[in-house]
Amino acid sequence: MTHSFECPVCGNPRGMLGECRQCGSEELPMPHSDTIVLNLKFDNPSAEEALERLTIALRRASEVGIKAMIVIHGYGASGEGGKIKWAVHNALENNYFSDRVDEYHFGEQTAFGSDAYHALLRRRPGLKGYLKHFKEGNAGMTVLIL
């Protein structure tokens, strides 16, 4: 597991949430990048739990200076999109996160080489390494600009 943050007290790698496991510091971690990846489907939460995780992550991300977030919500086994995906899309479209999210780009609308893809890269060039997963328009991911 790679860590995108380090403890400002002891300098050890740590996560974005919680205290430092090494020294116990509760100070805000220092990010290594202005972009993070958040896997909402890790450990199969309910859609409600996933939205709560996203809410907490967005709050902390804005506190530590993150500018973009790649949200992995999955597409669902049905082939029509899963509950987490639809919950995230619905929350974004209904401005639930408007206090923290300036723009959102659904993966299925941001295929590699598309006008939307290039516009996103012009806005946030640092996303280029993350967007390699959008080659076919990845419906299991959404990009948030904070």
Side-chain angles (χ1 to χ4, degrees), residues 31-70:
H32 292 164
S33 170
D34 67 353
T35 301
I36 61 169
V37 176
L38 176 65
N39 186 347
L40 287 180
K41 64 181 195 161
F42 176 76
D43 78 359
N44 300 314
S46 68
E48 294 78 24
E49 290 171 325
L51 281 179
E52 180 64 23
R53 289 177 185 179
L54 179 56
T55 301
I56 292 166
L58 283 169
R59 188 175 304 124
R60 178 53 67 99
S62 68
E63 291 172 352
V64 298
I66 299 298
K67 303 293 184 203
M69 183 182 292
I70 310 294

Short mmCIF file of all heavy atoms in Angstrom, two decimals, residues 31-70:
data_model
loop_
_atom_site.label_atom_id
_atom_site.label_comp_id
_atom_site.label_asym_id
_atom_site.label_seq_id
_atom_site.Cartn_x
_atom_site.Cartn_y
_atom_site.Cartn_z
N PRO A 31 0.23 16.33 2.20
CA PRO A 31 0.05 15.54 0.98
C PRO A 31 1.30 15.56 0.11
O PRO A 31 2.05 16.54 0.10
CB PRO A 31 -1.11 16.23 0.28
CG PRO A 31 -1.10 17.63 0.78
CD PRO A 31 -0.52 17.58 2.17
N HIS A 32 1.55 14.47 -0.61
CA HIS A 32 2.64 14.40 -1.57
C HIS A 32 2.21 14.91 -2.93
O HIS A 32 3.05 15.16 -3.79
CB HIS A 32 3.14 12.96 -1.72
CG HIS A 32 3.82 12.44 -0.49
ND1 HIS A 32 4.05 11.12 -0.29
CD2 HIS A 32 4.33 13.07 0.59
CE1 HIS A 32 4.67 10.95 0.86
NE2 HIS A 32 4.84 12.12 1.42
N SER A 33 0.91 15.00 -3.15
CA SER A 33 0.36 15.40 -4.43
C SER A 33 -0.91 16.19 -4.17
O SER A 33 -1.48 16.13 -3.08
CB SER A 33 0.05 14.15 -5.27
OG SER A 33 -0.68 14.47 -6.42
N ASP A 34 -1.40 16.90 -5.18
CA ASP A 34 -2.67 17.61 -5.01
C ASP A 34 -3.85 16.77 -5.50
O ASP A 34 -4.97 17.25 -5.58
CB ASP A 34 -2.64 18.97 -5.70
CG ASP A 34 -2.57 18.88 -7.22
OD1 ASP A 34 -2.41 17.76 -7.76
OD2 ASP A 34 -2.66 19.93 -7.88
N THR A 35 -3.57 15.50 -5.82
CA THR A 35 -4.60 14.58 -6.31
C THR A 35 -4.54 13.29 -5.50
O THR A 35 -3.46 12.79 -5.21
CB THR A 35 -4.36 14.26 -7.81
OG1 THR A 35 -4.39 15.48 -8.55
CG2 THR A 35 -5.43 13.33 -8.35
N ILE A 36 -5.71 12.77 -5.15
CA ILE A 36 -5.77 11.48 -4.46
C ILE A 36 -6.79 10.58 -5.13
O ILE A 36 -7.66 11.04 -5.87
CB ILE A 36 -6.13 11.62 -2.96
CG1 ILE A 36 -7.50 12.25 -2.78
CG2 ILE A 36 -5.06 12.37 -2.22
CD1 ILE A 36 -8.02 12.16 -1.35
N VAL A 37 -6.66 9.28 -4.86
CA VAL A 37 -7.62 8.28 -5.34
C VAL A 37 -8.36 7.76 -4.12
O VAL A 37 -7.75 7.39 -3.13
CB VAL A 37 -6.90 7.13 -6.06
CG1 VAL A 37 -7.89 6.05 -6.47
CG2 VAL A 37 -6.14 7.66 -7.28
N LEU A 38 -9.68 7.75 -4.20
CA LEU A 38 -10.52 7.25 -3.13
C LEU A 38 -11.33 6.07 -3.66
O LEU A 38 -12.15 6.24 -4.56
CB LEU A 38 -11.47 8.34 -2.63
CG LEU A 38 -12.48 7.92 -1.56
CD1 LEU A 38 -11.76 7.51 -0.26
CD2 LEU A 38 -13.48 9.02 -1.30
N ASN A 39 -11.08 4.88 -3.11
CA ASN A 39 -11.78 3.67 -3.53
C ASN A 39 -12.99 3.47 -2.62
O ASN A 39 -12.86 2.93 -1.53
CB ASN A 39 -10.86 2.46 -3.49
CG ASN A 39 -11.51 1.22 -4.05
OD1 ASN A 39 -12.72 1.16 -4.26
ND2 ASN A 39 -10.70 0.22 -4.30
N LEU A 40 -14.16 3.88 -3.08
CA LEU A 40 -15.38 3.76 -2.28
C LEU A 40 -15.91 2.34 -2.23
O LEU A 40 -16.69 2.01 -1.35
CB LEU A 40 -16.48 4.67 -2.84
CG LEU A 40 -16.32 6.15 -2.60
CD1 LEU A 40 -17.50 6.89 -3.21
CD2 LEU A 40 -16.20 6.46 -1.13
N LYS A 41 -15.51 1.50 -3.15
CA LYS A 41 -16.07 0.14 -3.16
C LYS A 41 -15.24 -0.85 -2.34
O LYS A 41 -15.63 -1.99 -2.18
CB LYS A 41 -16.26 -0.36 -4.59
CG LYS A 41 -14.99 -0.50 -5.39
CD LYS A 41 -15.30 -0.96 -6.80
CE LYS A 41 -14.02 -1.44 -7.43
NZ LYS A 41 -14.26 -2.27 -8.56
N PHE A 42 -14.13 -0.38 -1.76
CA PHE A 42 -13.29 -1.23 -0.92
C PHE A 42 -14.12 -1.81 0.22
O PHE A 42 -14.82 -1.07 0.91
CB PHE A 42 -12.10 -0.44 -0.37
CG PHE A 42 -11.24 -1.21 0.58
CD1 PHE A 42 -10.37 -2.17 0.12
CD2 PHE A 42 -11.33 -1.00 1.95
CE1 PHE A 42 -9.59 -2.90 1.00
CE2 PHE A 42 -10.56 -1.72 2.83
CZ PHE A 42 -9.68 -2.68 2.36
N ASP A 43 -14.09 -3.04 0.44
CA ASP A 43 -14.78 -3.83 1.46
C ASP A 43 -16.31 -3.82 1.33
O ASP A 43 -17.03 -4.05 2.29
CB ASP A 43 -14.30 -3.53 2.89
CG ASP A 43 -14.82 -2.25 3.52
OD1 ASP A 43 -15.58 -1.51 2.88
OD2 ASP A 43 -14.47 -2.00 4.68
N ASN A 44 -16.80 -3.55 0.14
CA ASN A 44 -18.22 -3.65 -0.21
C ASN A 44 -19.19 -2.95 0.75
O ASN A 44 -20.09 -3.57 1.31
CB ASN A 44 -18.62 -5.13 -0.33
CG ASN A 44 -17.83 -5.83 -1.40
OD1 ASN A 44 -17.68 -5.31 -2.49
ND2 ASN A 44 -17.31 -7.00 -1.09
N PRO A 45 -19.04 -1.64 0.93
CA PRO A 45 -19.97 -0.94 1.82
C PRO A 45 -21.33 -0.77 1.15
O PRO A 45 -21.46 -0.92 -0.08
CB PRO A 45 -19.30 0.42 2.00
CG PRO A 45 -18.61 0.64 0.69
CD PRO A 45 -18.10 -0.73 0.30
N SER A 46 -22.33 -0.41 1.92
CA SER A 46 -23.62 -0.05 1.34
C SER A 46 -23.45 1.31 0.65
O SER A 46 -22.46 2.02 0.88
CB SER A 46 -24.68 0.06 2.44
OG SER A 46 -24.41 1.16 3.27
N ALA A 47 -24.42 1.68 -0.15
CA ALA A 47 -24.35 2.97 -0.83
C ALA A 47 -24.33 4.11 0.19
O ALA A 47 -23.60 5.09 0.02
CB ALA A 47 -25.53 3.12 -1.78
N GLU A 48 -25.08 3.97 1.27
CA GLU A 48 -25.12 5.00 2.30
C GLU A 48 -23.76 5.13 2.99
O GLU A 48 -23.29 6.24 3.26
CB GLU A 48 -26.21 4.69 3.34
CG GLU A 48 -27.62 4.76 2.79
CD GLU A 48 -28.02 3.52 1.99
OE1 GLU A 48 -27.44 2.43 2.19
OE2 GLU A 48 -28.91 3.65 1.14
N GLU A 49 -23.13 3.98 3.30
CA GLU A 49 -21.81 4.01 3.93
C GLU A 49 -20.79 4.65 2.98
O GLU A 49 -19.93 5.41 3.42
CB GLU A 49 -21.35 2.60 4.30
CG GLU A 49 -22.12 1.98 5.44
CD GLU A 49 -21.79 0.50 5.62
OE1 GLU A 49 -21.56 -0.21 4.62
OE2 GLU A 49 -21.77 0.07 6.78
N ALA A 50 -20.88 4.33 1.69
CA ALA A 50 -19.96 4.89 0.71
C ALA A 50 -20.10 6.41 0.62
O ALA A 50 -19.11 7.13 0.55
CB ALA A 50 -20.18 4.24 -0.66
N LEU A 51 -21.34 6.90 0.65
CA LEU A 51 -21.54 8.35 0.62
C LEU A 51 -21.00 9.02 1.89
O LEU A 51 -20.45 10.11 1.83
CB LEU A 51 -23.03 8.69 0.46
CG LEU A 51 -23.58 8.58 -0.95
CD1 LEU A 51 -25.07 8.92 -0.97
CD2 LEU A 51 -22.83 9.46 -1.93
N GLU A 52 -21.13 8.36 3.01
CA GLU A 52 -20.58 8.89 4.25
C GLU A 52 -19.05 8.96 4.16
O GLU A 52 -18.43 9.95 4.57
CB GLU A 52 -21.01 8.04 5.45
CG GLU A 52 -20.47 8.53 6.78
CD GLU A 52 -20.95 9.91 7.19
OE1 GLU A 52 -22.02 10.37 6.73
OE2 GLU A 52 -20.23 10.56 7.97
N ARG A 53 -18.43 7.92 3.61
CA ARG A 53 -16.97 7.91 3.43
C ARG A 53 -16.53 9.03 2.51
O ARG A 53 -15.53 9.69 2.75
CB ARG A 53 -16.51 6.57 2.86
CG ARG A 53 -16.62 5.43 3.82
CD ARG A 53 -16.23 4.12 3.16
NE ARG A 53 -16.46 3.00 4.06
CZ ARG A 53 -16.23 1.75 3.76
NH1 ARG A 53 -15.74 1.44 2.58
NH2 ARG A 53 -16.48 0.80 4.63
N LEU A 54 -17.30 9.24 1.43
CA LEU A 54 -16.98 10.31 0.49
C LEU A 54 -17.10 11.67 1.18
O LEU A 54 -16.25 12.54 1.01
CB LEU A 54 -17.88 10.23 -0.74
CG LEU A 54 -17.67 11.31 -1.80
CD1 LEU A 54 -16.23 11.35 -2.30
CD2 LEU A 54 -18.63 11.09 -2.97
N THR A 55 -18.14 11.85 1.98
CA THR A 55 -18.33 13.11 2.70
C THR A 55 -17.15 13.39 3.62
O THR A 55 -16.60 14.50 3.63
CB THR A 55 -19.64 13.06 3.52
OG1 THR A 55 -20.73 12.83 2.63
CG2 THR A 55 -19.86 14.35 4.28
N ILE A 56 -16.72 12.39 4.38
CA ILE A 56 -15.58 12.54 5.29
C ILE A 56 -14.30 12.82 4.51
O ILE A 56 -13.51 13.71 4.87
CB ILE A 56 -15.44 11.29 6.17
CG1 ILE A 56 -16.63 11.20 7.14
CG2 ILE A 56 -14.12 11.28 6.92
CD1 ILE A 56 -16.77 9.85 7.82
N ALA A 57 -14.09 12.09 3.43
CA ALA A 57 -12.87 12.28 2.63
C ALA A 57 -12.84 13.66 1.99
O ALA A 57 -11.78 14.29 1.94
CB ALA A 57 -12.77 11.19 1.56
N LEU A 58 -13.97 14.14 1.50
CA LEU A 58 -14.01 15.47 0.90
C LEU A 58 -13.70 16.55 1.93
O LEU A 58 -12.99 17.51 1.65
CB LEU A 58 -15.38 15.74 0.25
CG LEU A 58 -15.61 15.05 -1.08
CD1 LEU A 58 -17.08 15.18 -1.49
CD2 LEU A 58 -14.71 15.64 -2.15
N ARG A 59 -14.23 16.38 3.11
CA ARG A 59 -13.97 17.36 4.18
C ARG A 59 -12.48 17.41 4.49
O ARG A 59 -11.87 18.47 4.54
CB ARG A 59 -14.77 16.97 5.42
CG ARG A 59 -14.73 18.02 6.52
CD ARG A 59 -15.63 17.65 7.69
NE ARG A 59 -17.00 17.44 7.26
CZ ARG A 59 -17.69 16.30 7.50
NH1 ARG A 59 -17.15 15.32 8.17
NH2 ARG A 59 -18.93 16.18 7.07
N ARG A 60 -11.87 16.25 4.69
CA ARG A 60 -10.44 16.21 5.03
C ARG A 60 -9.60 16.66 3.84
O ARG A 60 -8.61 17.36 4.02
CB ARG A 60 -10.05 14.80 5.46
CG ARG A 60 -8.57 14.63 5.80
CD ARG A 60 -8.00 15.62 6.82
NE ARG A 60 -8.52 15.50 8.14
CZ ARG A 60 -7.94 14.87 9.14
NH1 ARG A 60 -6.78 14.29 8.96
NH2 ARG A 60 -8.51 14.84 10.31
N ALA A 61 -9.97 16.26 2.63
CA ALA A 61 -9.20 16.65 1.44
C ALA A 61 -9.12 18.18 1.32
O ALA A 61 -8.07 18.73 1.01
CB ALA A 61 -9.81 16.04 0.19
N SER A 62 -10.23 18.84 1.59
CA SER A 62 -10.19 20.31 1.49
C SER A 62 -9.33 20.90 2.61
O SER A 62 -8.68 21.91 2.41
CB SER A 62 -11.60 20.89 1.51
OG SER A 62 -12.22 20.71 2.75
N GLU A 63 -9.30 20.25 3.77
CA GLU A 63 -8.48 20.73 4.89
C GLU A 63 -6.99 20.63 4.60
O GLU A 63 -6.21 21.46 5.06
CB GLU A 63 -8.79 19.94 6.16
CG GLU A 63 -10.16 20.21 6.73
CD GLU A 63 -10.53 19.28 7.87
OE1 GLU A 63 -9.78 18.30 8.14
OE2 GLU A 63 -11.56 19.51 8.52
N VAL A 64 -6.57 19.59 3.85
CA VAL A 64 -5.14 19.38 3.60
C VAL A 64 -4.68 19.90 2.24
O VAL A 64 -3.52 19.74 1.88
CB VAL A 64 -4.73 17.89 3.78
CG1 VAL A 64 -4.98 17.43 5.19
CG2 VAL A 64 -5.40 16.99 2.78
N GLY A 65 -5.58 20.51 1.47
CA GLY A 65 -5.18 21.15 0.22
C GLY A 65 -5.26 20.29 -1.03
O GLY A 65 -4.64 20.63 -2.04
N ILE A 66 -6.00 19.22 -1.00
CA ILE A 66 -6.17 18.39 -2.20
C ILE A 66 -7.03 19.15 -3.20
O ILE A 66 -8.04 19.75 -2.84
CB ILE A 66 -6.81 17.03 -1.84
CG1 ILE A 66 -5.93 16.27 -0.86
CG2 ILE A 66 -7.14 16.22 -3.08
CD1 ILE A 66 -4.56 15.91 -1.41
N LYS A 67 -6.65 19.11 -4.48
CA LYS A 67 -7.36 19.85 -5.52
C LYS A 67 -8.20 18.96 -6.43
O LYS A 67 -9.11 19.43 -7.11
CB LYS A 67 -6.36 20.63 -6.40
CG LYS A 67 -5.50 21.59 -5.63
CD LYS A 67 -6.29 22.72 -5.06
CE LYS A 67 -5.37 23.72 -4.38
NZ LYS A 67 -6.04 24.50 -3.39
N ALA A 68 -7.87 17.66 -6.47
CA ALA A 68 -8.62 16.73 -7.33
C ALA A 68 -8.68 15.37 -6.66
O ALA A 68 -7.76 14.97 -5.96
CB ALA A 68 -7.95 16.61 -8.70
N MET A 69 -9.80 14.68 -6.90
CA MET A 69 -10.00 13.36 -6.31
C MET A 69 -10.57 12.44 -7.39
O MET A 69 -11.53 12.79 -8.06
CB MET A 69 -10.98 13.46 -5.14
CG MET A 69 -11.22 12.16 -4.41
SD MET A 69 -12.43 12.32 -3.05
CE MET A 69 -11.54 13.35 -1.89
N ILE A 70 -9.92 11.28 -7.55
CA ILE A 70 -10.44 10.25 -8.44
C ILE A 70 -11.24 9.31 -7.54
O ILE A 70 -10.67 8.68 -6.65
CB ILE A 70 -9.31 9.44 -9.13
CG1 ILE A 70 -8.28 10.37 -9.77
CG2 ILE A 70 -9.89 8.44 -10.10
CD1 ILE A 70 -8.76 11.18 -10.91
#
